[in-house]
């Protein structure tokens, strides 16, 4: 039993070390692909007529993303309203508000 | 809560609301926007819930009013996205930017102080998201508060 535990720990340690070394060795963001960044920095301010380019990207260039966020919030409120609905005493039939 | 907390909350509430609306309106100029400003406004609502007794505040913030607020915000957001199609462009196109109408002033490349009357549909969408977030946050707090118990709420 004890040898089995030690073997498991060794295998996990070796696996973690190998994954970690691979992740450290990998170069992040290589090769560089900055076409989109340069385009946004050069043209985003004039195209969306907005000084805050982050807002320009969130609400204009990636409006679908914000629509999804708003829908997620709506769905969260829907789920919470279902969790906290009123229920009758000692009755399995729920009273939907 | 005690009378001191209630009085402090009543004094603080207008400032919190003004700060929240400021963040929502200036979403295209400052780091901020509809979501953050709506959360600040919802904090004011939560302060009223926390300072007052639930039975006293229940009639002022009804769940149906907050529900309508949230739905109105989401509908306004989708309508602003669909209005671009009616204006003859694609979905979510910023058809008001550089147009000269409301929020239609153009911005030149480079650093400038920033003007409120720019950015086209973005401020309107910020306001829509702010309305939706304040309704949603207030509704979540209201449901959780009304679901705790009847005696000590």
């Amino acid at each position: 039993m004890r040898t089995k535990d030690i073997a498991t720990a060794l295998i996990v340690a070796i696996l973690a070390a190998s994954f970690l070394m691979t992740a450290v060795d990998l170069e992040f963001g290589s090769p560089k692909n900055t076409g989109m960044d340069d385009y946004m920095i050069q043209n985003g301010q004039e195209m969306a007529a907005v000084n805050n380019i982050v807002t320009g990207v969130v609400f204009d260039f990636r409006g679908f993303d914000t629509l999804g966020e708003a829908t997620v919030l709506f769905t969260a409120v829907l789920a919470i309203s279902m969790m906290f609905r009123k229920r009758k005493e000692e009755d399995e039939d729920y009273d939907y508000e | 809560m005690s009378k001191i907390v209630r009085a402090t909350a009543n004094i603080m509430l207008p400032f919190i609301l003004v700060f929240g609306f400021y963040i929502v309106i200036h979403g295209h100029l400052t780091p901020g926007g509809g979501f953050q400003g709506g959360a600040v406004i919802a904090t004011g609502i939560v302060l009223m819930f926390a300072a007052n007794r639930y039975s006293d505040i229940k009639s002022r913030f009804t769940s149906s009013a907050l529900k309508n607020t949230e739905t109105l915000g989401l509908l306004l957001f989708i309508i602003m996205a669909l209005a671009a199609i009616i204006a003859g462009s694609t979905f979510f196109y910023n058809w008001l930017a550089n147009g000269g109408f409301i929020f239609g002033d153009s911005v030149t490349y480079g650093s400038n102080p920033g003007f409120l009357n720019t950015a086209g549909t973005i401020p309107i969408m910020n306001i829509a998201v702010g309305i939706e977030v304040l309704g949603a946050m207030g509704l979540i707090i209201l449901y959780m508060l009304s679901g705790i118990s009847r005696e000590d709420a």
Side-chain angles (χ1 to χ4, degrees), chain A residues 41-42 45-52 55-56 59-60 63-64 66-67 70-71 73-74 77 80-81 84 86 97, chain B residues 27-28 30 70 74 77-78 91-92 94 98 107 109-110 112 114 118-119 122 125-126 132-133 136 139-140 143:
Chain A
I41 291 166
Q42 291 295 324
Q45 199 175 3
E46 283 168 356
M47 275 174 72
V50 63
N51 271 343
N52 189 351
T55 309
F59 279 94
D60 191 359
F64 267 119
T66 311
L67 181 64
T71 316
L73 189 66
F74 193 81
V77 172
I80 286 173
S81 74
F84 285 95
K86 282 178 193 156
E97 247 184 314
Chain B
H28 56 294
T30 58
E70 191 204 3
L74 191 56
F77 190 77
I78 296 170
F91 194 56
F92 267 111
N94 197 345
N98 300 318
V107 172
Y109 178 74
N112 57 67
T118 55
I122 292 172
M125 284 180 173
N126 262 321
E132 200 222 333
V133 170
L139 202 55
I140 288 172
Y143 275 131

Side-chain angles (χ1 to χ4, degrees), chain B residues 52-55 145-153:
Chain B
N52 293 286
R53 203 173 290 139
Y54 174 66
S55 54
L145 198 62
S146 62
I148 294 170
S149 75
R150 296 279 170 250
E151 289 91 49
D152 49 37

